[in-house]
Amino acid sequence: MTDLRNGKDKTLGEILRSQGISRRSFLKFCAATASMMSISPALIPKIAHALENARRPSVIWLSFQECTGCTESLTRAHTTTIESLIFDSISLDYHHTLQAASGHAAEAAREAAMRENDGKYLLVVDGSIPLGNPGYSTIAGISNYDMLMETAKGAAAIIAVGTCATYGGLPHANPNPTGAVSLNEVIKDKPVINVPGCPPIPVVITGVLAHYLTFGSIPDLDHLGRPRAFYGNSIHDRCYRRPYYDKGLFAETFDDEGAKKGWCLYKLGCKGPTTYNACATTKWNDGTSFPIEAGHPCLGCSEPDFWDGGGFYKALSMPTENISKTAVYTATGALAAGVALGTMNQNKKNKAHDSHSKTTVSDLEK
Amino acid sequence: MINTNPDTAIFNIQNTDQLTFNVIPLLHEVKHALNNLIENNDTTVIDLRSIPLASGEEDNILNILGQGEVHAQLNTLGPSQIIESQYSGVWIITHYNPDKEIISRFIEITTMPDILFSQKQDIPDSLEALTTTVSENLPVKPSSTEKQS
Amino acid sequence: MTEIEFLGWVRGTGFQLATVIFIAGVIIRLVEIVMLGRKANLAEPGGSEMRSGLRTIISRMIPDKSTFQRSSFTIVSGYIFHIGLFICIFLFAPHILVFKDITGLSWPSLPTPVVDAVTVVTIISLGSIMLHRYQNCVLKFLTNTEDILVWIVTLLPLVTGYIAFHRIGSSAPGLIALHILSVEILLVVFPFTKLMHTFTIFLSRWYNGAISGFRGVES
């Protein structure tokens, strides 16, 4: 316990050095982070200085209605990446999947971290919160909502990781049986940094952490609470297949000539044009590729309600409902109505014609 | 060689054939920065990723700057190349990840990039390590390539 | 309502509503017009109604010399924006997908930059037509609220489409949703305004030609 305390009192720079990370590596990390977050390179020395002298931050990670895919995404980098540097240097005081403790000991660790770092710890949440019935999802007998509100109170910053925590995600999908909501819908008094994606890109989390540790503030967010540095461009705008879209060259099926030639996947339902994320630039699996590069349209997983977007393989411009059916029914009904109205008009005309009486000279003399 | 292949340079985000015509303005910026280095001894760093460039244009800039006298390689979290261009005072710094993909690239206008200096923070550790080595009285073997007295 | 929910609505319920109003409105109006009928003409026909009618549908595409000289601006810009609208609506790949989804029919598209350029030309010609309308005192006198309404609902899909394509000022889902909404407004307004000329133009041209044909004179 004493050792752990000492560890927490160390600065990030000291921890990194004790792990054998040279300062040059650290400078390289700072330069790459600045570049990724679109921070002016003039600020790199400032970032380095601030991060080096930052105290090891305490992080409490709460998992609610989720699939642990977000944690997998963040912990499965195969190589020593720059993002793993930051992960290694935080003090992850509570995380269901990763912590050794269980049961009461685990909850005690969370309570201790909250007490010792009141107002200073970072709260990371993945998963949505069920409001339908508190019993739908509980941890140690505490409902997700209660645990979130209790832990959020003393948090310095709150990061919602993954689409479930940011917009409700799969649990929120129609018909939303648990009444799942996002963090934003229950936390009103603090800004929530949204890092959507199913799962999100690991480097975004590091970027947010680095930004927080450097500037003591949260990064510039867009209207959906996402860091602009990573969610500032649509997949479509950064897609290497974009020139094919512009030329009108599309894959019509998954195995036609166009698909083999790597043409645009718009017609196969790609949601790239309406999806804001960094996949096309940072890529996945240690920079190997991203879904479109692998030949599959973007599902739009970092946008709200992507499960209910009318089908993953339906082109974005297509209506989501069966309009042909509507059109046929409407046309049939309208034809009948038109004939009925036409007949009424004719009857009216005939009646007018029949009741028409000629004006005679005697009428005029009256 | 500097990796400018757009397929492997992952942060080289411009994949368009359309030229952005940013090459000349960027070189002018480098020129002004060099002047600033002479007059005020100010270092300037330009993040190449922050400027929209077609893939051919980045090659173009690197070709124009060319390679000068210094070519250093760092081995930290994947390789990094620090090259002084043929214009003294203009450095090109490219950081790669362990998979040799570019993670960032800067043009630095300075007498010596910070990252090349031995870092003060690392020196106490190296002193400690060397002290340990010496105090352990290791038998010193003459190496095959170098004679030691 | 988030912009994605908005997009979901215009692609779903909104599209349904607009389709119902558009199709019902157009069909009822056309059926009513056709069923109005005409009094039987008891005179001896001077020629074929049908042939003259069909010929007139085509021949009225080409303005006669004096008409052209009198209002060349209206005719030229009218042609430009009608052809432009046709290209924008029917030859842009994402739009073709809408028709494919509804009718099952598909046809080749034009490259996106071409459609983009045509959109700009069409917007400019629509703008200049309104300007012309207010500079010419006769046209100005004849202009009523419906003319302005029809002009706006025709222009809006072009402008919102252009903005959505270039993502000006906001993010894509909201802009695309606005574009689809503007088209739905056009569809809803369509049957109740002179936009009906899209269909009635052929009826009326045929009828004009048929009258002349019956009388045995050139139309």
Side-chain angles (χ1 to χ4, degrees):
Chain A
M1 200 64 194
T2 356
D3 278 334
L4 200 70
R5 284 251 171 78
N6 285 344
K8 277 182 191 168
D9 289 341
K10 280 185 178 171
T11 64
L12 255 167
E14 285 164 344
I15 293 164
L16 292 175
R17 268 195 295 286
S18 71
Q19 288 173 345
I21 307 282
S22 74
R23 186 155 193 282
R24 284 202 187 96
S25 303
F26 178 69
L27 282 181
K28 179 171 172 172
F29 163 73
C30 294
T33 305
S35 181
M36 272 181 301
M37 298 211 58
S38 310
I39 296 168
S40 159
L43 288 173
I44 294 172
K46 195 189 168 197
I47 296 173
H49 184 259
L51 280 184
E52 242 171 355
N53 295 304
R55 297 287 149 184
R56 194 180 185 200
S58 167
V59 173
I60 295 176
W61 185 305
L62 301 178
S63 301
F64 299 138
Q65 294 194 124
E66 48 86 47
C67 70
T68 316
C70 297
T71 302
E72 290 288 334
S73 162
L74 301 177
T75 55
R76 293 289 156 160
H78 295 295
T79 46
T80 327
T81 52
I82 42 175
E83 54 264 34
S84 64
L85 269 185
I86 276 273
F87 281 128
D88 289 346
S89 59
I90 59 171
S91 169
L92 191 55
D93 291 329
Y94 182 85
H95 188 302
H96 291 167
T97 318
L98 301 178
Q99 72 194 143
S102 63
H104 292 298
E107 294 313 307
R110 179 174 64 88
E111 281 157 17
M114 283 166 58
R115 211 170 36 243
E116 286 165 22
N117 306 290
D118 191 35
K120 284 182 286 186
Y121 60 88
L122 296 174
L123 173 60
V124 180
V125 179
D126 63 340
S128 62
I129 301 103
L131 293 186
N133 180 333
Y136 283 141
S137 175
T138 62
I139 299 157
I142 307 167
S143 76
N144 289 172
Y145 177 80
D146 290 342
M147 186 180 275
L148 173 68
M149 297 320 265
E150 187 192 342
T151 319
K153 224 180 283 167
I158 302 171
I159 306 172
V161 168
T163 299
C164 294
T166 49
Y167 319 119
L170 180 59
H172 178 78
N174 191 32
N176 190 3
T178 63
V181 296
S182 66
L183 251 62
N184 269 326
E185 284 178 68
V186 287
I187 295 177
K188 301 286 184 196
D189 55 340
K190 279 182 190 182
V192 176
I193 305 165
N194 279 339
V195 183
C198 193
I201 299 174
V203 77
V204 182
I205 306 282
T206 353
V208 171
L209 284 174
H211 191 284
Y212 177 74
L213 292 174
T214 307
F215 302 104
S217 63
I218 55 177
D220 190 20
L221 305 177
D222 71 2
H223 66 293
L224 290 174
R226 307 176 290 197
R228 274 186 210 280
F230 297 98
Y231 296 91
N233 288 301
S234 73
I235 300 289
H236 188 59
D237 286 342
R238 287 284 177 248
C239 183
Y240 76 105
R241 295 196 190 205
R242 175 65 188 265
Y244 294 115
Y245 172 87
D246 289 335
K247 284 177 197 152
L249 299 173
F250 298 97
E252 305 278 342
T253 64
F254 281 103
D255 54 357
D256 68 355
E257 224 25 61
K260 284 173 193 157
K261 284 182 177 156
W263 289 354
C264 177
L265 301 168
Y266 185 91
K267 290 189 176 179
L268 292 171
C270 187
K271 303 294 181 292
T274 51
T275 306
Y276 288 77
N277 208 336
C279 301
T281 46
T282 62
K283 303 198 180 179
W284 285 89
N285 297 324
D286 303 324
T288 307
S289 67
F290 70 113
I292 292 170
E293 202 170 342
H296 194 279
C298 169
L299 302 180
C301 76
S302 57
E303 294 297 323
D305 297 326
F306 81 103
W307 297 99
D308 298 320
F312 290 160
Y313 303 102
K314 192 149 200 177
L316 203 53
S317 61
M318 286 181 176
T320 52
E321 306 280 338
N322 189 342
I323 297 295
S324 342
K325 214 163 115 185
T326 310
V328 170
Y329 286 160
T330 310
T332 317
L335 213 57
V339 171
L341 283 169
T343 317
M344 270 164 65
N345 290 342
Q346 271 175 354
N347 286 343
K348 208 163 137 193
K349 203 168 88 183
N350 290 342
K351 226 182 248 166
H353 186 260
D354 292 343
S355 62
H356 181 83
S357 52
K358 283 188 180 135
T359 308
T360 57
V361 179
S362 56
D363 287 333
L364 294 172
E365 282 172 348
K366 271 180 193 168
Chain B
M1 261 317 286
I2 295 165
N3 183 353
T4 49
N5 178 354
D7 295 335
T8 53
I10 60 163
F11 284 113
N12 185 5
I13 43 184
Q14 295 296 324
N15 286 293
T16 162
D17 301 333
Q18 215 108 45
L19 295 180
T20 61
F21 303 103
N22 276 337
V23 175
I24 300 301
L26 190 97
L27 290 172
H28 275 292
E29 202 182 326
V30 173
K31 196 185 81 184
H32 288 301
L34 206 51
N35 193 41
N36 201 16
L37 180 66
I38 296 166
E39 287 179 0
N40 309 316
N41 204 23
D42 277 350
T43 291
T44 308
V45 187
I46 299 165
D47 183 351
L48 272 180
R49 198 184 159 243
S50 67
I51 298 150
L53 290 171
S55 48
E57 290 181 323
E58 192 168 317
D59 283 349
N60 203 356
I61 292 168
L62 297 176
N63 286 336
I64 291 168
L65 293 177
Q67 284 205 22
E69 296 167 343
V70 184
H71 185 158
Q73 167 144 352
L74 302 184
N75 295 307
T76 51
L77 303 172
S80 294
Q81 280 176 325
I82 292 118
I83 295 169
E84 193 182 27
S85 74
Q86 57 176 317
Y87 304 98
S88 182
V90 180
W91 298 74
I92 296 144
I93 300 174
T94 312
H95 294 305
Y96 298 84
N97 67 11
D99 293 329
K100 309 230 164 34
E101 292 153 340
I102 296 179
I103 50 175
S104 53
R105 176 173 272 157
F106 301 92
I107 295 178
E108 210 166 317
I109 296 93
T110 180
T111 48
M112 173 87 151
D114 269 349
I115 204 164
L116 269 186
F117 284 105
S118 288
Q119 303 292 309
K120 275 184 196 136
Q121 291 85 339
D122 288 337
I123 298 172
D125 286 349
S126 71
L127 173 66
E128 200 178 312
L130 188 63
T131 310
T132 313
T133 311
V134 173
S135 67
E136 279 171 2
N137 282 325
L138 295 171
V140 181
K141 276 188 216 160
S143 80
S144 54
T145 53
E146 222 178 311
K147 265 195 175 171
Q148 293 195 0
S149 54
Chain C
M1 193 187 244
T2 65
E3 51 178 338
I4 289 275
E5 280 167 356
F6 179 30
L7 180 62
W9 189 84
V10 293
R11 286 177 69 200
T13 315
F15 210 108
Q16 294 266 37
L17 288 173
T19 309
V20 169
I21 294 171
F22 172 74
I23 291 184
V26 167
I27 290 183
I28 290 175
R29 270 196 80 174
L30 285 179
V31 169
E32 272 196 294
I33 291 167
V34 171
M35 282 184 69
L36 264 181
R38 288 282 156 176
K39 253 189 206 159
N41 193 331
L42 302 175
E44 178 111 359
S48 162
E49 277 189 320
M50 187 53 86
R51 197 193 296 164
S52 174
L54 292 176
R55 197 182 53 238
T56 308
I57 291 179
I58 309 292
S59 67
R60 290 278 163 99
M61 301 266 180
I62 305 133
D64 65 74
K65 217 173 177 182
S66 62
T67 314
F68 187 79
Q69 277 164 351
R70 224 178 314 122
S71 39
S72 47
F73 177 83
T74 309
I75 290 168
V76 170
S77 50
Y79 260 91
I80 290 175
F81 93 75
H82 275 95
I83 293 169
L85 277 175
F86 179 85
I87 291 173
C88 295
I89 296 170
F90 293 104
L91 297 178
F92 183 49
H95 296 167
I96 297 171
L97 288 176
V98 180
F99 295 107
K100 191 184 171 190
D101 191 56
I102 298 169
T103 64
L105 300 173
S106 184
W107 51 89
S109 61
L110 277 179
T112 314
V114 175
V115 181
D116 192 32
V118 169
T119 308
V120 175
V121 171
T122 312
I123 291 172
I124 292 171
S125 76
L126 270 172
S128 63
I129 276 177
M130 195 38 99
L131 211 64
H132 177 69
R133 206 181 243 280
Y134 273 91
Q135 277 170 351
N136 183 308
C137 53
V138 178
L139 285 175
K140 192 177 166 186
F141 176 74
L142 290 172
T143 302
N144 60 23
T145 325
E146 189 193 325
D147 295 324
I148 310 285
L149 175 74
V150 164
W151 180 80
I152 290 172
V153 296
T154 311
L155 184 68
L156 271 183
L158 287 163
V159 174
T160 55
Y162 182 83
I163 291 174
F165 180 74
H166 292 280
R167 286 190 197 75
I168 302 164
S170 183
S171 61
L175 293 177
I176 292 175
L178 266 182
H179 172 60
I180 298 175
L181 182 71
S182 72
V183 175
E184 283 161 7
I185 291 171
L186 175 70
L187 289 177
V188 167
V189 169
F190 195 101
F192 308 104
T193 55
K194 61 196 235 178
L195 286 168
M196 272 300 284
H197 76 271
T198 312
F199 299 104
T200 54
I201 187 167
F202 300 106
L203 281 179
S204 57
R205 274 190 191 168
W206 182 86
Y207 188 68
N208 279 333
I211 293 172
S212 303
F214 187 85
R215 289 176 186 159
V217 295
E218 205 180 315
S219 68

